[in-house]
Amino acid sequence: MRTIGVSIAIPEPWGGQLQDLRAGFGDPLARAIPTHVTLLPPTEIAEDALDDVEAHLRAVAAAEHPFPMILRGTGTFRPTSPVVFIQVALGIPDCERLEEGVRAGPLTRELHFPYHPHVTVAHHLPDHVLDRAFDKLSGYEASFEVTGFSLYEHGDDAVWRPRRAFPFGG
């Protein structure tokens, strides 16, 4: 088995800035997880399923077109989950459509929580640190065009690495 995920990478300079901020809050996962909006959470697949998964993701991406995304302000999943995130202010319907397309076919699976596109900036940290992250980034804003998504694989070293990019329109 291998563990994969699918997400929209946050481009530079914003991806690196948010990763540095996440590290600055003391989040031990900051350098192991590239800054992203999840489309498929960590999912185990059989070793021999990767070709079918990649074919599925190519088909999903080929049917899509670039769209604008704006990240703005903070949100939290507390008390359900100790997470502070940057909100997707523009691009939510596009992310929902992508998530639905990705989480189909060979990647059909149930979710533990309803899908909510976001960018995690603090996770499993003490409440006072989560509060600081929430406050410090409350005025955050970034705007860019989403032109595709990527397949990531979880390594034996617990680092998520991009395996393949899937640009929209083929």
Side-chain angles (χ1 to χ4, degrees):
M1 299 295 280
R2 60 176 67 201
T3 302
I4 62 162
V6 178
S7 61
I8 297 167
I10 304 303
E12 295 302 331
W14 306 283
Q17 290 170 353
L18 289 172
Q19 193 170 41
D20 289 346
L21 286 162
R22 187 172 179 172
F25 296 129
D27 190 324
L29 300 176
R31 300 293 178 205
I33 303 173
T35 309
H36 67 280
V37 173
T38 298
L39 297 174
L40 178 77
T43 301
E44 285 192 348
I45 63 166
E47 289 288 334
D48 62 355
L50 193 57
D51 288 343
D52 288 342
V53 165
E54 289 185 359
H56 168 68
L57 295 175
R58 272 192 303 278
V60 171
E64 290 294 330
H65 56 278
F67 61 88
M69 180 173 281
I70 295 175
L71 305 176
R72 183 183 303 131
T74 49
T76 184
F77 292 129
R78 292 187 289 174
T80 304
S81 180
V83 173
V84 170
F85 57 85
I86 301 295
Q87 298 186 72
V88 174
L90 179 66
I92 291 172
D94 301 287
C95 290
E96 290 173 337
R97 183 182 65 252
L98 278 172
E99 183 271 343
E100 185 177 325
V102 165
R103 197 172 47 84
L107 295 175
T108 299
R109 61 164 286 188
E110 294 296 319
L111 297 178
H112 298 294
F113 301 102
Y115 180 69
H116 179 85
H118 66 279
V119 179
T120 298
V121 291
H123 188 220
H124 286 299
L125 297 171
D127 281 338
H128 73 279
V129 177
L130 294 173
D131 291 341
R132 185 166 49 99
F134 187 91
D135 292 342
K136 181 173 184 170
L137 295 172
S138 64
Y140 185 87
E141 186 167 335
S143 177
F144 51 89
E145 185 172 62
V146 176
T147 59
F149 56 79
S150 294
L151 171 65
Y152 291 80
E153 188 163 357
H154 194 245
D156 291 336
D157 58 359
V159 173
W160 285 94
R161 291 183 179 83
R163 180 176 172 83
R164 176 154 298 142
F166 295 90
F168 294 153

